[in-house]
Amino acid sequence: MNVFSVLDQAAARYGDRGAVFLGMQQQHTWAELHERALRLAGSIRSTLPAGSRIAVASENCPEFVELMFAAWAAECVIVPVNYKLHVREMQQIFDDSGAAQVFASPKIAAQLDGTAAVPVEVIGSDAYRHRMSTTPLESPRRTDPASLAWLFYTSGTTGRSKGAMLSHRNLMAMTVSHLADFDDPNQDCSLIHGAPMSHGSGLYIAPYVLRGARQVIPQSQAFEPEEFLDLCDRHPGCSTFLAPTMVGRLVHTGRNCPANLRTIVYGGGPMYVESLKKAMAAFGSVFVQLYGQGEAPMTITGLRRADHENTDDATLGCVGYARSGVDVTVLRADGTQADIGEIGEIVCRGDVVMSGYWNNPAATATTLQDGWLLTGDMGCFDARGYLTLRDRSKDVVISGGSNVYPREVEEVLLEHPAVEEVCVVGMPDADWGEVVVAFIVGAAAETDLDAHLLERIARFKRPKRYVYVDYLPKNAYGKVLKRELRERLFAEEPA
Ligand code: AMP
């Protein structure tokens, strides 16, 4: 089984319909995309053996789609690299993955100029175009489903990024689960790539290709809210994956729901209840939430579309229930199963779970145990099987022996009208072990925030300190870098 089969299907069934668009401009039909991918695959295999790692370092671009399928047709491994990373971070990924070839956008190729130890080819260059004259490979028919398809480098919020090994089976399990649980596109639909294609948006290519839905790359090759909403007005039946911060930026435009927007899948980081309510008021019933990790791509639990309607805050603040084909449970520290309502570590298993970290048996051994993926996230189930995520285990603050879950404090602080963004972390303290510190973007006074919290949550969860900042540091995927905020606090403390 090879994920390339989804493109075989699209080409056979929807051959002369538009497949890839840059803005409103059609680039290729499905038949053309199929042929381009097989020609590229032929050129790759003329110099590299099966199993080679092929890195792509580019802003979102139409060629991302053909490169992905070319790597799979060639039975090689795609290694998408976030274009917002620093050149040194990109180098680390090339080195760690042992990439044999890098395809880079002109901008990134210029940044990498001379520094990469691996051949770098500019996407769209003469050399790239020349590959299209190679004899096409046959579609792969005998790929072992367990073989590696994608080396997914984690976003590294808690340390150095690691390569999660995703097989063809993992990607197909993700695809089937997406179509079963979240979205049901057809050939009159579109996937708009707002978020980086190196991450969630790229993972979603497979289900939409299988159904013949257009792949639309914004002309800006980035996420510009106004442009994004225009595309959702003009392309048919639009779906997209966005990080919660991107959803917030759409809401800030003040525009109504575009005519053709069907589905926004959001996730990858916390969506606060207040923000979700605002988004639903602006765009209506288009939202689906995913909870996943690079290690179980896009697929652990999900809050389905219907779960967003006429519901209470507890449901809006949870991450839904287990995805089709995935077992999810919560364990106590001693490895026994937690009761309903009891917080523990979330673990999952199923065909979507990675086979390990590339070249990193130690990290693999601590993360995969007895067939279960230990997510490092804390949470609890309710009696209906809905999972509420607390925080990553490393982010829980233990103050005076009591656990404080930053997400809970953040949710309440965000209900205050003068708080725009917030991040809660723990800071070492001689008396308490740790104390709660809130970084605030906004104009609310400390006394107001204290009063606001005291009306809503236990006194011990209240921050001992508020730090006002202009913005929160975020990584290339828009996730808040708690590590950096903690380091900032450490730096001010006398040794
Ligand atoms: P990554 O592997 O970089 O995608 O990061 C995965 C991590 O993001 C998870 O382990 C969670 O901590 C967090 N995450 C993913 N989805 C959600 C969600 N829906 N709500 C809150 N946090 C999430």
Side-chain angles (χ1 to χ4, degrees), residues 152 154-155 199 267-271 289-295 319 375 377 389 392 407 479:
F152 186 102
T154 58
S155 56
H199 203 73
M271 170 66 103
Q289 181 180 187
L290 78 86
Y291 159 52
Q293 301 191 313
E295 292 82 346
V319 293
T375 64
D377 291 316
L389 206 64
R392 294 194 69 76
R407 168 87 184 254
K479 296 193 195 212

Side-chain angles (χ1 to χ4, degrees), residues 330-332 338-339 341-345 378-380 390 405:
V330 171
L331 299 182
R332 301 189 179 110
D339 290 331
E342 185 182 350
I343 296 171
E345 180 169 6
M378 306 299 283
C380 61
R390 295 299 175 160
Y405 295 94

Side-chain angles (χ1 to χ4, degrees), residues 142-322:
R142 290 162 172 267
T143 307
D144 177 351
S147 61
L148 204 51
W150 183 315
L151 259 188
F152 186 102
Y153 277 83
T154 58
S155 56
T157 44
T158 50
R160 198 168 159 153
S161 147
K162 299 187 283 286
M165 296 194 282
L166 303 180
S167 65
H168 289 271
R169 178 183 284 125
N170 294 149
L171 297 182
M172 285 308 271
M174 179 208 73
T175 298
V176 171
S177 183
H178 183 76
L179 297 173
D181 300 341
F182 279 0
D183 206 11
D184 188 22
N186 61 28
Q187 68 275 23
D188 294 319
C189 291
S190 314
L191 176 67
I192 316 282
H193 290 284
M197 292 167 87
S198 54
H199 203 73
S201 208
L203 284 162
Y204 274 172
I205 287 176
Y208 290 87
V209 167
L210 180 61
R211 294 289 180 82
R214 298 176 175 190
Q215 302 290 316
V216 180
I217 290 88
Q219 190 87 42
S220 66
Q221 300 186 281
F223 179 68
E224 300 293 346
E226 296 283 352
E227 175 192 32
F228 181 88
L229 292 171
D230 288 343
L231 290 174
C232 297
D233 256 331
R234 298 173 67 196
H235 280 285
C238 295
S239 296
T240 191
F241 163 72
L242 298 178
T245 47
M246 294 170 150
V247 176
R249 288 181 62 200
L250 291 185
V251 174
H252 268 119
T253 61
R255 283 175 56 175
N256 293 329
C257 188
N260 295 330
L261 179 57
R262 275 166 32 100
T263 309
I264 295 181
V265 182
Y266 63 90
M271 170 66 103
Y272 299 101
V273 174
E274 285 305 306
S275 316
L276 179 56
K277 284 184 181 166
K278 284 185 196 149
M280 285 164 47
F283 297 121
S285 185
V286 296
F287 292 99
V288 175
Q289 181 180 187
L290 78 86
Y291 159 52
Q293 301 191 313
E295 292 82 346
M298 313 297 266
T299 321
I300 300 177
T301 65
L303 194 66
R304 278 67 164 176
R305 190 188 299 259
D307 295 317
H308 285 74
E309 285 159 21
N310 309 321
T311 196
D312 52 293
D313 284 8
T315 304
L316 286 183
C318 81
V319 293
Y321 54 98

Side-chain angles (χ1 to χ4, degrees), residues 374-430:
L374 278 54
T375 64
D377 291 316
M378 306 299 283
C380 61
F381 274 112
D382 70 12
R384 303 169 301 166
Y386 282 64
L387 181 70
T388 296
L389 206 64
R390 295 299 175 160
D391 289 275
R392 294 194 69 76
S393 49
K394 294 188 187 92
D395 292 333
V396 175
V397 184
I398 305 179
S399 189
S402 301
N403 284 6
V404 180
Y405 295 94
R407 168 87 184 254
E408 185 188 0
V409 185
E410 289 163 355
E411 289 275 12
V412 177
L413 283 169
L414 278 169
E415 287 172 18
H416 192 286
V419 174
E420 286 166 38
E421 281 192 287
V422 61
C423 179
V424 166
V425 297
M427 175 181 167
D429 180 87

